[in-house]
Amino acid sequence: MVEGVALLAGQPDGEVSLFQLPRALLWDHNAHFHPWLLRQVPQRCSRVLDVGCGTGALVRRLVERADFVDGLDVSAEMIDQASARTSATNVRWLRGDVLDADLHPEGYDAVTALSSLHHMPLRPGLTRLASLLRPGGVLAVIGLYREESAADFAMAAASFPANAAVGAYLATRGRAGKPHDEGMPVRDATATLTEISDAATEILPGALVRRRLFWRHSLLWRKPA
């Protein structure tokens, strides 16, 4: 995202537009969804994988739930930053592509993916994420999608004033800003919500896919025991 520029409908990674926010009102959309992701993860579990961990903000919260957490990212710079920011000893930082990375052979009780699914080919990505779960494990995704329908554009339109309101609220409390964006890989979403839902229906029977504010969708699936 370009600093000082609000997210665009149809361009969630932030092209220059007329919808601008002052730099002081920018805020971390990914962190906004941490509580939802954490609610999907069991209160106590053995192993969790965070795919596209970035600087490790979500991993540093997951370590309170799991005996072991793997944080995976394709960017060496992100892994270096995550490692430097984390003192927990039950974390393993891994650089690689989730499609072929050497991950725990016994699988995970939960897999989280925050703004990373759109960096993968959709069906191979969902198939791989599902394969990494133990029976009964949970896949929790917050992802980006390409708007196409009237409902998509209505939600995007509602996101603009909400975006400004949240930024103003956080700024008054000294919590605005996007301090961890530098060096983070960026890619525009190409799959529509319909395409994501169709792929989930095919690969993850029973998965719940929902449209969310702030140019995001959620996907939740529990692997059959």
Side-chain angles (χ1 to χ4, degrees), residues 52-138:
C53 63
T55 57
L58 180 59
V59 169
R60 287 188 287 276
R61 302 184 69 175
L62 289 169
V63 294
E64 301 173 3
R65 300 284 189 91
D67 296 332
F68 302 98
V69 180
D70 282 347
L72 175 71
D73 204 287
V74 296
S75 168
E77 181 178 353
M78 292 296 100
I79 291 297
D80 288 344
Q81 288 190 41
S83 179
R85 295 168 189 261
T86 307
S87 59
T89 58
N90 59 333
V91 176
R92 184 174 62 155
W93 300 108
L94 303 169
R95 178 182 177 273
D97 187 327
V98 68
L99 294 179
D100 54 24
D102 185 15
L103 298 169
H104 202 288
E106 295 181 12
Y108 298 87
D109 300 304
V111 173
T112 57
L114 176 55
S115 295
S116 58
L117 179 60
H118 72 287
H119 287 262
M120 316 172 203
L122 179 58
R123 279 177 167 74
L126 288 177
T127 300
R128 173 62 167 160
L129 295 178
S131 74
L132 293 169
L133 287 170
R134 288 174 162 181
V138 175

Side-chain angles (χ1 to χ4, degrees), residues 24-219:
L25 299 186
L26 295 177
W27 57 282
D28 188 343
H29 294 84
N30 284 340
H32 173 77
F33 290 99
H34 285 181
W36 182 86
L37 289 164
L38 291 167
R39 286 196 298 272
Q40 315 315 316
V41 175
Q43 285 293 324
R44 196 69 228 165
C45 51
S46 177
R47 288 189 299 276
V48 176
L49 170 67
D50 185 36
V51 178
C53 63
T55 57
L58 180 59
V59 169
R60 287 188 287 276
R61 302 184 69 175
L62 289 169
V63 294
E64 301 173 3
R65 300 284 189 91
D67 296 332
F68 302 98
V69 180
D70 282 347
L72 175 71
D73 204 287
V74 296
S75 168
E77 181 178 353
M78 292 296 100
I79 291 297
D80 288 344
Q81 288 190 41
S83 179
R85 295 168 189 261
T86 307
S87 59
T89 58
N90 59 333
V91 176
R92 184 174 62 155
W93 300 108
L94 303 169
R95 178 182 177 273
D97 187 327
V98 68
L99 294 179
D100 54 24
D102 185 15
L103 298 169
H104 202 288
E106 295 181 12
Y108 298 87
D109 300 304
V111 173
T112 57
L114 176 55
S115 295
S116 58
L117 179 60
H118 72 287
H119 287 262
M120 316 172 203
L122 179 58
R123 279 177 167 74
L126 288 177
T127 300
R128 173 62 167 160
L129 295 178
S131 74
L132 293 169
L133 287 170
R134 288 174 162 181
V138 175
L139 172 62
V141 174
I142 292 291
L144 282 66
Y145 66 96
R146 177 172 60 84
E147 289 96 345
E148 64 163 355
S149 69
D152 294 340
F153 289 113
M155 182 66 86
S159 293
F160 286 115
N163 189 44
V166 173
Y169 174 84
L170 293 175
T172 62
R173 286 155 177 77
R175 293 163 49 198
K178 298 173 71 67
H180 308 315
D181 273 10
E182 187 174 353
M184 189 170 290
V186 172
R187 178 176 296 177
D188 289 339
T190 58
T192 66
L193 195 61
T194 297
E195 291 169 339
I196 294 166
S197 297
D198 288 347
T201 298
E202 174 188 327
I203 299 165
L204 313 171
L208 297 176
V209 178
R210 293 181 178 175
R211 188 183 290 105
R212 301 280 178 173
L213 277 173
F214 309 125
W215 305 275
R216 302 297 195 272
H217 72 85
S218 63
L219 184 156

